[in-house]
């Protein structure tokens, strides 16, 4: 397993930001760009269609990019160096977690350092985005989250034989994949190099999972128990069965939490 961090340029940053400016996105996702870039006027965005929004954001952030471009370029070096310091340790942890030799898989991952505060991942294309304001420690912590997804869905796909099209939001399989990250990240070899672990330090999963309680028990605690009680394939089956049985409550909690950001 290997990650090469790169600066993909300004146009890519805009494309990444615009993934979360569609009409389908809730403010939980779309408003993050407003927090980090007060130069963007929310009222201006709201009265424009998608293409006008893109043109507006492109114009507003162009000067910002010119001012931070050198910082992005310097972080290419810093992120790559920091990752390589822990590469062997990470591979050992992932090999144990997923019961495969991680050295043989995903040696071509790309980490795009962008201006997008949200960090999407693209499973089949084998790249993900990292927000440039992260330190090298923060970038590694976020990258570990994404790398876990790549291995999770590789093993999942081999076992279930389903389609990669089912692994994106709002699929329940996507929701589960976001839940399980904390349990897998609990390995000391991973948690010790992730500044976003444990929950009180920011958390390595979406915040709406922190207070999600089903049948009187925190969901993340239940997932963690299942993980430590099973091998990886049995864990996948048990955790997905748990999510299927409680899908309505899980989706309702996510929906209500996202509405709080309106």
């Amino acid at each position: 397993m290997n990650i090469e961090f790169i600066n993909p340029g300004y146009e890519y940053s805009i494309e990444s930001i615009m993934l979360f400016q569609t009409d389908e996105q809730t403010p939980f996702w779309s408003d993050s760009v407003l927090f980090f870039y007060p130069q963007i006027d929310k009222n201006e965005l709201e009265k424009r269609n998608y293409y006008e929004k893109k043109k507006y954001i492109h114009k507003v952030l162009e000067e910002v990019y010119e001012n931070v471009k050198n910082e992005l370029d310097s972080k290419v070096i810093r992120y790559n160096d920091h990752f390589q310091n822990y590469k062997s340790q990470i591979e050992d942890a992932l090999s144990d977690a997923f019961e495969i030799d991680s050295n043989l898989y995903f040696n071509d991952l790309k980490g795009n350092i962008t201006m997008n505060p949200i960090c999407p991942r693209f499973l089949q294309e084998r790249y993900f985005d990292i927000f440039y304001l992260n330190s090298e420690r923060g970038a590694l912590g976020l990258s570990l989250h994404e790398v876990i997804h790549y291995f999770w869905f590789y093993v999942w796909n081999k076992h279930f034989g389903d389609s990669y099209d089912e692994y994106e939001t709002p699929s329940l399989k996507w929701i589960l994949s976001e839940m399980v990250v904390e349990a897998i990240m609990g390995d000391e070899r991973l948690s010790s190099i992730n500044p976003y672990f444990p929950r009180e330090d920011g958390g390595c999963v979406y915040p709406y999972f922190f207070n999600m309680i089903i049948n009187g028990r925190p969901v993340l605690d239940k997932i963690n128990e299942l993980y430590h009680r099973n091998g990886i394939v049995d864990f996948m089956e048990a955790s997905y069965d748990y999510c299927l049985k409680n899908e309505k409550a899980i989706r309702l909690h996510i929906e209500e939490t996202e509405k709080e950001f309106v």
Side-chain angles (χ1 to χ4, degrees), residues 34 37-46 56 60:
L34 303 176
Y37 302 111
Q39 302 93 329
I40 299 175
D41 187 328
K42 184 175 183 177
N43 292 326
E44 286 293 324
L45 281 183
E46 290 178 341
Y56 171 69
V60 172

Side-chain angles (χ1 to χ4, degrees), residues 31-45 56-57 60-61 64 115 117 131-133:
D31 283 4
S32 63
V33 71
L34 303 176
F35 177 82
F36 287 98
Y37 302 111
Q39 302 93 329
I40 299 175
D41 187 328
K42 184 175 183 177
N43 292 326
E44 286 293 324
L45 281 183
Y56 171 69
I57 291 174
V60 172
L61 294 186
V64 178
M115 297 174 69
F131 189 34
Y132 83 98
L133 284 180

Side-chain angles (χ1 to χ4, degrees), residues 190-208:
L190 301 178
S191 63
S192 63
I193 56 176
N194 184 354
Y196 299 120
F197 187 95
R199 294 175 210 175
E200 50 266 31
D201 290 333
C204 60
V205 298
Y206 290 127
Y208 46 62

Side-chain angles (χ1 to χ4, degrees), residues 18-33:
M18 292 308 298
L19 292 173
F20 302 93
Q21 296 300 318
T22 64
D23 292 339
E24 294 78 20
Q25 298 292 342
T26 66
F28 179 86
W29 301 103
S30 61
D31 283 4
S32 63
V33 71

